[in-house]
Amino acid sequence: MARKDRLSGNEAVAEALRQINPDVMAAFPITPSTEIPQYFSKYVAQGKVDSEFIPVESEHSAMSAVIGSQAAGARSVTATSSAGMALMWEELYLAASNRLPCCLTLVNRALSGPININCDHSDSMGARDAGWIQIYAENNQEVYDNLCMAYPIAEHKDVQLPIMICQDGFITSHAVENIILNEDEEVKNFVGEYNPEHCLLDPECPTAVGPYSVTNYYFEAKRAQAEALKNAKQVTLDVAKEYAKITGREYGLFEEYMMEDAEYAVVIIGSAAGTTKEAVDRLRKEGVKAGLIKIRLFRPFPGEEIAEALKNVKAVALMDRTESYNDCCGPLGAEVSTALYRANAKALAVNYVYGLGGRDVKVSDMVNIYNELQKIAEEGKVEEFYRYYGVRS
């Protein structure tokens, strides 16, 4: 039977990990994800989990330890943010290319410099092509639920890839919300035991992890890895369907909010989706047909499905909480506009960079975005595709 509690996003992650009871956590502290290993190490010390907690000297070492333990057949996890992820860079690619279904709980924080400890998506978006599954949350409930579903997705026989569960720094990681927790036994049964087909400690099947790949094999390995990431889309849906059976909480690749008859839409990731929903509700009362698509699964990207959801929209704003420095588009802008182009969609699209370094996003800001979309639709053209919202000139 489910139980209610008041937890921060970081506490929700630690609680989910306690219920999952991974074999190994290796971690190094960095704001704002420090609390996750802090809380979990207490569970280890108190004997509430059977996990081995490995304190290391850097984030590079944390991911290295996770790769080693996962390769040995142990379900493994770490947590980090911002520059901590940057220090893991080499290891992120190794975890994915070696097909190791470990988990990284990422608390999104601006990547230096200038030094900033607040939320944007520059850390995870910088790693979007590392070959990891990426799932984002709007609130603390979703952070918890996403982590409960993480291992069944990553460990599926058709996937076997690492997974990144993302939440917005401080906005969700430290804010306390009412959430519903599953019973321990429910999570244990849902996640199941980790029984890898091959691992380093299997004496019956000697295995090498991370050997040098000559030209004759490297390309094929990457192609197989890409196919596994594509498989993760359907597996994510399948796992969510099973999760809904025990919790009643339903998840898809993305959430559609008031999209049935929407003429103006925003596509967004993370906590700002909640703010945008308030703007949609306000505009709907005024007779404006506003809608929202909140991305949950960013890698693999559900391009065809999003284009289908936007097929009747007149104008759409693609909201990036990071800067790509290409003077063309942001990561989300690139993905969605490509999907719209391939689908021959008629929607006029505009790409906004917003909220960098934790810059506030208010309901009135999102109302202004919808007002601009109405103006674009009326004029029938987009003068400037790549824009900045909320920055002082």
Side-chain angles (χ1 to χ4, degrees):
M1 184 175 178
R3 55 192 173 88
K4 296 180 179 179
D5 209 335
R6 293 184 180 91
L7 299 174
S8 70
N10 284 345
E11 289 175 315
V13 168
E15 180 67 9
L17 288 175
R18 181 191 66 77
Q19 294 177 316
I20 293 167
N21 193 15
D23 299 306
V24 174
M25 172 181 253
F28 186 84
I30 183 170
T31 301
S33 64
T34 299
E35 290 180 330
I36 295 173
Q38 175 190 342
Y39 293 137
F40 191 74
S41 65
K42 288 183 179 179
Y43 293 146
V44 174
Q46 294 166 352
K48 294 182 178 180
V49 291
D50 302 322
S51 309
E52 184 74 23
F53 184 85
I54 308 175
V56 291
E57 71 276 11
S58 73
E59 290 87 356
H60 185 280
S61 298
M63 186 52 69
S64 296
V66 164
I67 288 172
S69 58
Q70 191 77 45
R75 183 179 276 156
S76 304
V77 65
T78 189
T80 196
S81 301
S82 183
M85 173 179 256
L87 192 54
M88 292 179 175
W89 214 255
E90 172 192 13
E91 305 304 317
L92 293 178
Y93 283 80
L94 289 175
S97 63
N98 286 319
R99 309 291 297 277
L100 300 173
C102 55
C103 180
L104 167 61
T105 64
L106 179 72
V107 183
N108 287 112
R109 167 189 150 183
L111 196 55
S112 303
I115 294 174
N116 180 288
I117 64 168
N118 298 304
C119 170
D120 68 31
H121 298 156
S122 50
D123 46 9
S124 58
M125 286 299 169
R128 64 188 181 275
D129 294 334
W132 285 58
I133 302 162
Q134 286 191 351
I135 296 180
Y136 290 79
E138 174 190 338
N139 51 45
N140 301 5
Q141 183 70 65
E142 291 185 11
V143 173
Y144 171 81
D145 289 337
N146 287 343
L147 193 52
C148 288
M149 288 183 268
Y151 285 110
I153 296 170
E155 294 171 0
H156 191 279
K157 62 181 179 61
D158 295 332
V159 179
Q160 292 292 303
L161 286 171
I163 190 166
M164 194 180 296
I165 302 300
C166 306
Q167 63 169 316
D168 285 353
F170 292 106
I171 301 171
T172 60
S173 66
H174 285 64
V176 175
E177 293 182 343
N178 294 330
I179 71 171
I180 299 173
L181 300 173
N182 306 317
E183 291 296 338
D184 292 357
E185 201 64 23
E186 287 180 328
V187 176
K188 179 181 178 181
N189 293 335
F190 182 78
V191 175
E193 295 293 327
Y194 181 48
N195 296 303
E197 186 177 354
H198 303 292
C199 68
L200 290 174
L201 299 184
D202 182 1
E204 302 300 321
C205 182
T207 303
V209 175
Y212 176 68
S213 181
V214 297
T215 307
N216 288 348
Y217 298 102
Y218 181 88
F219 201 164
E220 285 69 25
K222 287 298 180 184
R223 180 67 184 86
Q225 186 180 333
E227 196 65 25
L229 193 60
K230 283 203 301 183
N231 294 341
K233 185 191 295 186
Q234 185 58 50
V235 171
T236 299
L237 290 173
D238 294 341
V239 170
K241 188 178 295 184
E242 292 302 311
Y243 191 71
K245 291 179 182 178
I246 65 170
T247 66
R249 297 188 292 277
E250 297 182 359
Y251 292 93
L253 306 176
F254 50 87
E255 178 187 344
E256 297 182 58
Y257 188 76
M258 299 288 187
M259 284 298 297
E260 295 84 357
D261 62 343
E263 295 180 350
Y264 316 102
V266 163
V267 182
I268 203 163
I269 296 174
S271 59
T275 305
T276 308
K277 289 175 182 176
E278 291 289 333
V280 170
D281 292 344
R282 182 180 299 182
L283 289 166
R284 284 282 175 169
K285 290 177 181 178
E286 298 173 4
V288 178
K289 292 183 177 180
L292 165 73
I293 289 179
K294 179 188 72 183
I295 303 295
R296 177 175 178 250
L297 182 72
F298 186 78
R299 278 291 182 270
F301 191 75
E304 292 181 11
E305 294 84 352
I306 288 174
E308 176 66 21
L310 293 170
K311 67 181 181 181
N312 296 320
V313 168
K314 294 179 180 178
V316 57
L318 317 174
M319 308 298 294
D320 270 298
R321 203 161 194 166
T322 188
E323 168 61 79
S324 272
Y325 300 109
N326 62 11
D327 196 31
C328 178
C329 58
L332 185 60
E335 301 285 353
V336 179
S337 56
T338 299
L340 292 173
Y341 175 79
R342 293 176 63 181
N344 294 315
K346 296 179 181 179
L348 295 169
V350 61
N351 188 191
Y352 290 93
V353 175
Y354 78 102
L356 300 189
R359 180 68 54 92
D360 242 356
V361 183
K362 303 175 183 177
V363 175
S364 58
D365 294 325
M366 300 314 300
V367 169
N368 288 338
I369 294 292
Y370 282 104
N371 290 338
E372 291 187 18
L373 290 178
Q374 292 181 72
K375 183 179 178 182
I376 289 170
E378 289 169 4
E379 294 176 349
K381 60 181 178 179
V382 176
E383 294 287 356
E384 185 181 7
F385 174 72
Y386 197 42
R387 308 180 182 189
Y388 295 85
Y389 188 89
V391 63
R392 295 188 300 274
S393 298

